[in-house]
Amino acid sequence: MKMLLIILSFVTVVLQCSPVVAFSQAPATTRQATLQRVGDDNMALGMGLFDGIAKAFSNTDFKPQDQRVRASHILIKGDDIDLVFGKIKGLMAEINDRTQQEPHKLLPIFSELACRDSECSSAAQGGDLGMFGRGKMVKEFDAALFPEDDAAAPPAGAVLGPIVSDFGMHIVLVTQRDLNRDQVEEKLARIDPDAAR
């Protein structure tokens, strides 16, 4: 209780001595003259004590529309574009044919093909790239997975391709799409990788 009284007394003293409070209680003509003398560069006159506290605690990292996806991919590298494109077309046709027969097995079929044909280190995990947000992968993935119009975003189960990047050509399978989840956990995981476990 004593601590609360001390804090309230301190805030009262600060507010009484604050040039911002004194300025706001001055007559309008004095305020205008002071503003003209001080100029727009002095932000102290425009910001009160509580505005400064609110600004200090604002969370600029939180994004109200934070989209994240989990995706798998098959990467085909090569200098001969026609050969690489032909291989991608063949893989997409195989995915299409096999999922026509067993639609509920899209992920296992895709994982099998990624293990067999992908030239990325993620092939060992069936092409799984994990969960990621905008700006974490190459810009071509961002363009395909995070379009400006949220309604055009590919849903889970969508197969996209070919996507051409500096690494080669990709076929991408969206396995999960989330919105506004785990932003704090993701930040903590970047600081302490063991925190998410």
Side-chain angles (χ1 to χ4, degrees):
M1 187 66 167
K2 284 184 180 182
M3 188 61 141
L4 181 61
L5 290 174
I6 292 171
I7 291 172
L8 288 174
S9 299
F10 173 76
V11 170
T12 304
V13 169
V14 168
L15 288 175
Q16 288 173 350
C17 298
S18 170
V20 174
V21 173
F23 176 78
S24 66
Q25 293 172 349
T29 53
T30 307
R31 285 196 301 255
Q32 288 175 339
T34 305
L35 280 175
Q36 288 173 350
R37 275 186 274 127
V38 173
D40 292 333
D41 295 335
N42 189 345
M43 294 303 292
L45 292 177
M47 183 181 293
L49 174 68
F50 294 109
D51 293 334
I53 292 171
K55 185 177 179 185
F57 287 100
S58 67
N59 186 353
T60 58
D61 292 331
F62 178 78
K63 300 166 198 78
Q65 293 299 319
D66 180 36
Q67 294 184 18
R68 298 175 48 185
V69 298
R70 183 176 193 132
S72 298
H73 80 134
I74 298 171
L75 169 65
I76 304 298
K77 299 177 182 181
D79 294 328
D80 185 352
I81 294 175
D82 292 331
L83 183 67
V84 172
F85 184 68
K87 194 166 185 179
I88 289 284
K89 273 180 62 176
L91 287 168
M92 291 186 76
E94 185 176 347
I95 291 168
N96 187 41
D97 292 343
R98 290 180 63 185
T99 55
Q100 289 293 325
Q101 298 166 2
E102 302 175 287
H104 60 283
K105 290 192 174 182
L106 175 61
L107 183 57
I109 291 169
F110 193 92
S111 296
E112 175 192 325
L113 295 177
C115 288
R116 184 184 80 194
D117 293 312
S118 184
E119 298 174 35
C120 179
S121 59
S122 68
Q125 292 85 35
D128 185 21
L129 297 171
M131 186 70 87
F132 56 91
R134 184 186 306 268
K136 300 299 180 197
M137 298 289 174
V138 293
K139 64 184 178 203
E140 294 83 4
F141 274 37
D142 275 359
L145 297 171
F146 304 106
E148 293 298 320
D149 181 15
D150 290 341
V159 177
L160 311 171
I163 297 174
V164 181
S165 75
D166 291 339
F167 297 101
M169 286 192 191
H170 310 258
I171 302 172
V172 177
L173 169 65
V174 178
T175 56
Q176 183 181 351
R177 182 170 287 281
D178 282 334
L179 194 61
N180 291 334
R181 296 184 191 261
D182 304 327
Q183 292 181 57
V184 173
E185 288 179 18
E186 185 177 317
K187 272 218 160 305
L188 288 173
R190 278 187 249 137
I191 296 168
D192 180 12
D194 295 328
R197 294 182 189 152

